[in-house]
Amino acid sequence: GAPRAARADSAFLQSLRTAESDLAASDGSTVLSSINALLELATDYSGMPSDELRKELMERVLAKRAALKAQGGWDEGSYGEKEEQFLRLQRAVDPWRVTELQGPASLAILGFGPVYLGLLAVQRLVPKLFNVAYTAGAAALFAPLLFGILFG
């Protein structure tokens, strides 16, 4: 027969696909059970076996969360049972919030060069404004990332 690891991967993938289907079909009244099923699966398998599965799952969960928030089917504010279970799932699957913060982090990395060159120009041409320019440059690079961390 197939090696034990391959059977476990096959069983895991089948369970994951079923749980993802349930999540996709869920609404505000049933999403909690879908998140709980995903959390149980992630806990049983100590997270996701690959970055691709981690990213795929978190993108689907984040999209469902955003859709339900827009429809009023998610908890109001930052607290509530659905939000708490979502955060538990996120800690189990993506504890560093890589999927959620990848966009703002990429922008900060891409923006570093132009901001650095701009700061060098300010330092050479208008040294009195360097401190203000430095603060503005740092804020421009890191504000989206910080916003995502604090309010994402």
Side-chain angles (χ1 to χ4, degrees):
R4 187 172 181 177
R7 286 194 308 265
D9 287 342
S10 175
F12 174 79
L13 285 175
Q14 183 178 4
S15 298
L16 179 62
R17 296 302 177 223
T18 300
E20 286 176 337
S21 294
D22 291 346
L23 176 70
S26 67
D27 59 16
S29 63
T30 59
V31 71
L32 189 58
S33 63
S34 298
I35 291 174
N36 286 336
L38 288 165
L39 177 59
E40 183 178 333
L41 188 61
T43 303
D44 289 348
Y45 285 88
S46 299
M48 294 290 114
S50 70
D51 285 340
E52 293 81 20
L53 287 174
R54 174 193 46 78
K55 182 177 179 186
E56 174 188 309
L57 176 61
M58 287 311 300
E59 285 175 349
R60 289 181 181 188
V61 173
L62 287 166
K64 176 57 87 170
R65 178 180 174 231
L68 289 176
K69 277 187 172 187
Q71 298 168 0
W74 197 261
D75 302 321
E76 291 296 321
S78 299
Y79 300 101
E81 193 173 8
K82 294 171 191 166
E83 186 69 15
E84 288 298 319
Q85 285 304 94
F86 162 75
L87 292 173
R88 284 187 182 101
L89 175 64
Q90 187 176 48
R91 282 190 295 272
V93 174
D94 192 10
W96 295 102
R97 296 172 60 189
V98 172
T99 304
E100 189 177 2
L101 298 175
Q102 187 171 3
S106 296
L107 290 176
I109 291 168
L110 291 173
F112 177 77
V115 168
Y116 182 76
L117 292 175
L119 288 174
L120 284 176
V122 168
Q123 187 179 32
R124 294 280 184 204
L125 301 174
V126 193
K128 291 181 181 181
L129 295 179
F130 179 75
N131 288 339
V132 173
Y134 185 88
T135 303
L141 289 176
F142 295 112
L145 191 58
L146 185 59
F147 183 81
I149 291 169
L150 296 176
F151 305 108

